[in-house]
Amino acid sequence: MHVPDGFLDAPTSIGTASLAAAGVAVCLRGARRELDDRTAPLAGLVAVFVFAAQMLNFPVGAGTSGHLLGGALAAVLVGPFTATLCLAVVLLVQALAFADGGLTALGTNVTLMGIVGVWVGYAVFVAARAALPKRLASIPVAAALGAALSVPAAALAFTALYAIGGTAPIPLRTLAIAMAGWHTLIGLGEAAITYLAVGSIVATRPDLVHGAGPALATPKLVIRDGALT
């Protein structure tokens, strides 16, 4: 999923860099509402986990590679604003220290994984959480659904960017088939990992899971006809 230098033309790269910069600026403000003394250390652990997971790349054909994204997992655990910041930091370190994704393509990678991957995954999670029974056991299931759909969503977003400003000698149809097909499978793997990770934390410290907030809300006691309901 890491886009290298020169894969997209300059106008497209500048456009995604502008979008990424605006997204990070918004998330810097939003993260203040998500982080506190308890959850800040978890954000650091999430960034380390995502960093390690994304370093495991494997080719999927048509000059592209695939790996776990971790966006939906991060969003469920620490909130979508903080998750975007975690992904942005991870991608910056990877580009500077390991040449994993080009510097001129950093905005593209942040847009795809830190914005599309995180926010599509979190939106699906919120929708699934609302549809599922209101209990803690539903949180890992909803998170897995978000993870499963976030990966192909990011892959399709990249395909759209390539259709707009792609410069590599790869037919669009070939690229689209490779990205959509393989990243659907990767999404299933990411769903399984997300389910296990979120499930284990929910089972021990549900108060640390941002997405579990509604399930932990204390119901209000209402007196009706002399009885508590």
Side-chain angles (χ1 to χ4, degrees), residues 98-144:
F98 299 95
D100 196 0
L103 284 176
T104 62
L106 180 61
T108 300
N109 288 317
V110 171
T111 297
L112 293 174
M113 290 178 269
I115 296 179
V116 176
V118 167
W119 288 90
V120 168
Y122 191 72
V124 173
F125 164 75
V126 170
R129 184 183 63 186
L132 292 169
K134 304 299 186 292
R135 55 174 182 259
L136 285 176
S138 299
I139 302 302
V141 177

Side-chain angles (χ1 to χ4, degrees), residues 48-152:
V48 171
F49 177 82
V50 171
F51 180 89
Q54 288 196 3
M55 292 302 290
L56 301 176
N57 290 275
F58 49 90
V60 300
T64 63
S65 63
H67 57 73
L68 299 177
L69 299 188
L73 172 62
V76 173
L77 292 180
V78 297
F81 293 104
T82 305
T84 294
L85 298 181
C86 289
L87 267 292
V89 171
V90 166
L91 293 168
L92 177 61
V93 172
Q94 289 174 342
L96 291 174
F98 299 95
D100 196 0
L103 284 176
T104 62
L106 180 61
T108 300
N109 288 317
V110 171
T111 297
L112 293 174
M113 290 178 269
I115 296 179
V116 176
V118 167
W119 288 90
V120 168
Y122 191 72
V124 173
F125 164 75
V126 170
R129 184 183 63 186
L132 292 169
K134 304 299 186 292
R135 55 174 182 259
L136 285 176
S138 299
I139 302 302
V141 177
L145 290 172
L149 294 179
S150 67
V151 178

Side-chain angles (χ1 to χ4, degrees), residues 58-61 64 66 151 155 176-188:
F58 49 90
V60 300
T64 63
V151 178
I177 292 174
M179 292 294 289
W182 281 104
H183 282 86
T184 297
L185 296 177
I186 295 171
L188 296 177

